[in-house]
Amino acid sequence: MPANEPRTAIEGSTRAPVDSAREIGPVAPDARIEVTIRVRPDPAGGLAEAGIRALLRSAASEPGVRASYLTRAQLRTAGGADSREVGMVEDFAREHGLAVLESDPAERRVVVAGTAARLSAAFGVTLRRYELGDQTFRGRTGEITVPGQLAPIITGVFGLDDRPQAQPHFRLFEPEPADTQGAFRPATEVERSFTPAQVAHLYDFVADADGSGETIALIELGGGLRAADISAYFDGLGSPVPTVTIVSVDGGRNEPTTADSADGEVMLDIEVAGAVAPGARIVVYFAPNTDRGFLDAISRAVHDSVNRPSIISISWGGPESAWTGQAMAAMDQAFAEAALVGVTVTCASGDNGSDDRVGDGRAHADFPASSPHVLACGGTRITASGVAITAERTWNDGAQGGASGGGVSDVFDPPPYQATAGVPPSANPGGRRGRGLPDVAGDASPASGYAVRVDGRDMVIGGTSAVAPLYAGLVALLNQKLGRPVGFLNPTLYGAGRTAIRDITEGDNGAYRTGVGWDACTGLGRIDGAALLAVLERSSTA
């Protein structure tokens, strides 16, 4: 390509500075960096953006088990990039002295490596070092640019900036003082903790299934697991020890540290999913906590033809305002592709109420839960007597105790399945109409939290990160009973499946109040597992 060819910014590539981060100097020019370049789908391949939308509309008209899904092999064929366009990206990289490490047209991915100086020149960026608390990271601000003829082809460049992208959505039980204004019900003590199996029983999950034949993928961006803890925990429950497989993505590794670190997230996910669906295999995809690592882990799980997960559970996220447009678009497309191959994706909606820990006085939705192609999982607080729920309300234990994330997306438009849900306008000025989240909710308050084991300690943990693997386990049970995947479940839940959802009508998460019908605290409500199975069985025989 001509050296003087005009350059064009990649849409959605603008990066803002990290609040409170301190610049500490330039990145060493000879520092080696790996970057993932995403390429658009081949317009002639059948799965360009318009084709994906059409297929998902078809799935919505034939919800649940009646939908016709692609195989992973078909997805690779129909959803891949034009090999000629991939070659153009490879040529561009080599012209700038970059090594092409991987090139996968089917996943529309080219991985390149080079020095900071060469990557900066190739993509028109300035890389600097920053410090935030006890972390340092490489960052950039502004846009990424490429030669004009590549701008329509390259949909994103990930890895130039390696700032921490997401937070785990779990909450350790921490008592707090009562709120003098009466706005919140404080979590002053654990009312009652539950094993995941007990919560599943309270929610009437499928009793005569164990998830055999299903595989649950867990996306983890830090922390680790200890096999001895897994064995001890499930032995204590009297439950089979699940088969756990580790997959490394972009150098991510199983690195357990301490119980109050990301280890709490990893073990909570494994123990909740494994207790609800003890017969399911669990595959943990460890990746760095960057937008590149997050995206590559999701893409790996969607396309993994070896482990073949049928459900993906994600308990990490961050406010939409912390993401680039290119990252949200690429991950949303990966979730759409998951829907096309019958993979259900469950995402935690956040643990910091409608503010989502931003603190600017506005409401913020959490991503990736705000993607219209995932099942966004909010939080409740339950009170139970014996084996029955006596009360369930929106989880809101105050600023320190956490609250169910939820709201209206500033990025994604209302999906068709929410057309009659009554999603209100955003609480922010202007009242934008957008994708509402969560879709459903489940027990998340640490005051009615989950008894788990982390790094040799028995603990009680809550958070919407418990709800995502809880419903991932339910989907494994449903898939087993039906003999085929339920896949993209949202159209069913907003349609015939509403009869299988128990409405939550009390509480708030800050800017939004809980009420009859859909709300931005608990969505449609919490799922009754047996009732949903009955709905899906009827739709499969209709």
Side-chain angles (χ1 to χ4, degrees), residues 166-185:
Q167 299 86 41
H169 289 323
F170 76 98
R171 287 273 183 160
L172 302 177
F173 174 73
E174 295 177 344
E176 64 168 332
D179 180 66
T180 58
Q181 302 300 314
F184 304 113
R185 182 185 178 203

